[in-house]
Amino acid sequence: MKLKIAIMSLLTSILMSAASVDYLSNNSASYFQNPSQTGKISVEGVFYNPAGTAFLEDGTYLNINMQNSLIEESMTLKGKKYKSNNYAGAPSFNLLYKKDNFSLFGNASVAAGGATLKYKDGVAGIALAADAFNQITGGRLGATLTSNNFKGQNRYYQLILGGAYKVNDQFAISGGLRYVLGVRKLKGTAGYSYNPSVGRRMLGLSGNDLYIDSERTANGVGGTIGFDYKPTDTLNIAVKYDTPVKMKFKSKATEVKGMSIAGKPLGISFFYPEYADGAQYRRDLPGVLSLGVSKDVDRFTYSAGYIHYFNKAAKMDRFKYKDGYELNFGVDYRINDKFTWHAGFNYANTGAPRNTFTDVEYAVNSQIYATGLTYKPTENSEWKFGIAHVSYNSANGEKENTALRGVTLDKSQVKYDKSINVFTVGYTHKF
């Protein structure tokens, strides 16, 4: 008999659970040329260093970017690899007007989240669920995996409006408002075969056909403030702080609850209450502090930066996180008036405890290796091309007690891993 399984849900803390850091730093093509952007003065600084835009030449600037990513996320259990291969495209737009000591700007982008993950061949949690139920029945249940299919996504769309003011030739300040729309999705079915007589006698298990299709949405408003200090023509130092954004997600779901254990109806949302129809839960974007410095030396510009994510202070569904951080550095080399070569490195520590690792979201630490080329065909136009590889540090999960007494999910057997390759292009025109 088949069980379209909430058993998987009940045992795994699975799809679309919290990640320690939802934010994306890769907001423009420049990032995947050289991730160290905070200390630079540029049109893309609308996102990275808004105060620095007050030092740009007068004019109106339009900047358009597209980040193209090939993503593999995988879980390996007992030698079997469950994986999702996907393409993700993330556009971003910056509009800037600079006149005398003032600048006004706007940014529209995907500020946080990730790709839509489709596990057509299943996820490791379902296999772990079968193992767990077999263990509590001494192997007599005979539960085996027959089919499963799950999909999850989270995206946060952002709009920034603000301005900067150059106090003097060395110092500028900026401020702005951020509007964020968050969308989190979960959709899944799965199937087991098992001995129905053992299931009824030992677990009170009956029924099949469990299914969920849930979408959670929220919106919130935050602020951003920045400072840029340019003590010399060749040295620049910048600070930016993005305030937390309070996000109260509301869920709309279609769900089939055709299973029961000991006479109690169960559905996937029983184990993931934030995805139940009508549920309301907080999942905030944390405050973020960015520090950066850049230094010109002949034809080279060297840059370094630090980003701190205040995860501890944010409410993130049912999980608690440590603060996260990123470290980055890079170099730009001006080949001539038309071409500039870039390269850089970024290390991210998400601060996510291993007990938050799930079948579709697992925030493992990473390193980014990036390089690229800028081509400036005219004084008022500029093209940027970048490529990058994001290498993740694979990690195993932890054992987890479930809502059913005596049932433990051993996620320590699962190795979680990711790999991303990126190609990005950007264009800026000055009017």
Side-chain angles (χ1 to χ4, degrees):
M1 142 179 219
K2 288 191 176 182
L3 175 61
K4 297 283 186 181
I5 190 133
I7 291 180
M8 179 274 299
S9 293
L10 78 115
L11 291 177
T12 70
S13 294
I14 152 180
L15 293 160
M16 292 304 298
S17 300
S20 67
V21 177
D22 282 320
Y23 274 113
L24 299 174
S25 297
N26 51 318
N27 203 265
S28 74
S30 293
Y31 183 88
F32 283 124
Q33 295 179 322
N34 173 3
S36 186
Q37 292 292 315
T38 304
K40 294 186 176 183
I41 294 173
S42 68
V43 179
E44 293 95 330
V46 169
F47 177 83
Y48 300 105
N49 176 20
T53 61
F55 288 107
L56 290 171
E57 294 181 357
D58 287 359
T60 300
Y61 300 79
L62 176 63
N63 169 250
I64 302 172
N65 306 273
M66 188 66 181
Q67 286 73 253
N68 306 280
S69 303
L70 296 175
I71 302 170
E72 178 180 293
E73 301 207 9
S74 66
M75 296 156 283
T76 303
L77 173 64
K78 298 178 181 179
K80 181 175 180 178
K81 192 173 186 178
Y82 303 84
K83 64 181 180 179
S84 172
N85 291 297
N86 294 284
Y87 162 81
S92 64
F93 307 88
N94 294 298
L95 182 63
L96 171 71
Y97 172 75
K98 166 63 173 44
K99 179 69 173 178
D100 298 330
N101 293 332
F102 293 90
S103 70
L104 298 173
F105 51 76
N107 167 275
S109 57
V110 179
T116 298
L117 300 180
K118 300 176 182 178
Y119 287 86
K120 295 181 180 180
D121 297 324
V123 291
I126 293 180
L128 286 177
D131 290 345
F133 270 84
N134 286 331
Q135 287 173 11
I136 63 175
T137 60
R140 284 173 284 181
L141 183 64
T144 59
L145 179 64
T146 59
S147 65
N148 71 89
N149 189 303
F150 277 83
K151 180 169 70 174
Q153 182 195 71
N154 72 89
R155 279 284 174 101
Y156 294 74
Y157 304 95
Q158 174 178 260
L159 177 64
I160 300 175
L161 297 174
Y165 174 67
K166 184 171 66 175
V167 179
N168 54 42
D169 290 340
Q170 295 182 325
F171 187 71
I173 60 174
S174 67
L177 292 175
R178 302 163 55 227
Y179 170 78
V180 180
L181 171 65
V183 180
R184 304 181 68 85
K185 298 179 180 180
L186 165 63
K187 184 176 182 179
T189 63
Y192 279 123
S193 64
Y194 65 95
N195 187 318
S197 62
V198 173
R200 286 193 300 269
R201 186 175 68 253
M202 300 191 70
L203 300 174
L205 178 64
S206 64
N208 53 27
D209 294 329
L210 276 87
Y211 167 84
I212 192 169
D213 185 355
S214 178
E215 179 173 299
R216 305 170 64 200
T217 58
N219 58 76
V221 176
T224 180
I225 185 171
F227 304 92
D228 192 275
Y229 177 52
K230 189 175 173 63
T232 71
D233 290 338
T234 61
L235 178 65
N236 194 71
I237 302 168
V239 179
K240 186 188 74 161
Y241 177 68
D242 294 327
T243 68
V245 179
K246 179 180 177 181
M247 306 284 286
K248 187 174 183 178
F249 280 86
K250 299 179 181 179
S251 177
K252 291 184 179 181
T254 300
E255 186 171 12
V256 175
K257 299 180 180 180
M259 170 189 169
S260 67
I261 294 180
K264 184 175 182 179
L266 289 177
I268 293 175
S269 66
F270 177 82
F271 309 101
Y272 300 92
E274 60 267 32
Y275 287 98
D277 189 44
Q280 298 185 28
Y281 280 79
R282 284 272 298 278
R283 183 179 172 86
D284 302 338
L285 290 178
V288 182
L289 177 67
S290 303
L291 309 172
V293 59
S294 64
K295 172 67 176 177
D296 293 335
V297 180
D298 297 325
R299 293 189 175 188
F300 290 90
T301 297
Y302 301 96
S303 54
Y306 173 81
I307 304 173
H308 192 91
Y309 299 90
F310 295 93
N311 299 325
K312 286 183 179 180
K315 293 184 178 181
M316 294 185 179
D317 288 335
R318 299 171 288 118
F319 298 99
K320 293 183 179 180
Y321 301 87
K322 300 177 182 179
D323 284 359
Y325 66 89
E326 295 183 23
L327 293 168
N328 51 62
F329 59 86
V331 60
D332 310 304
Y333 175 68
R334 291 172 292 282
I335 300 171
N336 53 43
D337 291 341
K338 293 187 180 295
F339 290 96
T340 302
W341 169 79
H342 313 266
F345 171 82
N346 185 87
Y347 171 74
N349 185 312
T350 67
R354 294 189 179 190
N355 64 4
T356 66
F357 292 176
T358 69
D359 281 335
V360 176
E361 287 192 22
Y362 29 94
V364 291
N365 299 338
S366 66
Q367 299 83 37
I368 298 176
Y369 306 90
T371 189
L373 194 69
T374 294
Y375 172 54
K376 194 175 178 64
T378 70
E379 197 63 32
N380 295 325
S381 61
E382 183 177 80
W383 288 92
K384 288 181 174 289
F385 306 92
I387 57 173
H389 175 67
V390 188
S391 174
Y392 288 85
N393 302 340
S394 61
N396 290 66
E398 292 184 352
K399 289 185 178 181
E400 177 187 341
N401 294 323
T402 70
L404 295 182
R405 186 169 56 184
V407 179
T408 300
L409 179 69
D410 190 5
K411 292 192 294 183
S412 66
Q413 299 182 63
V414 182
K415 183 179 75 171
Y416 299 89
D417 202 3
K418 303 181 185 182
S419 178
I420 300 178
N421 292 301
V422 184
F423 170 73
T424 185
V425 59
Y427 177 72
T428 300
H429 190 83
K430 178 185 175 185
F431 297 93

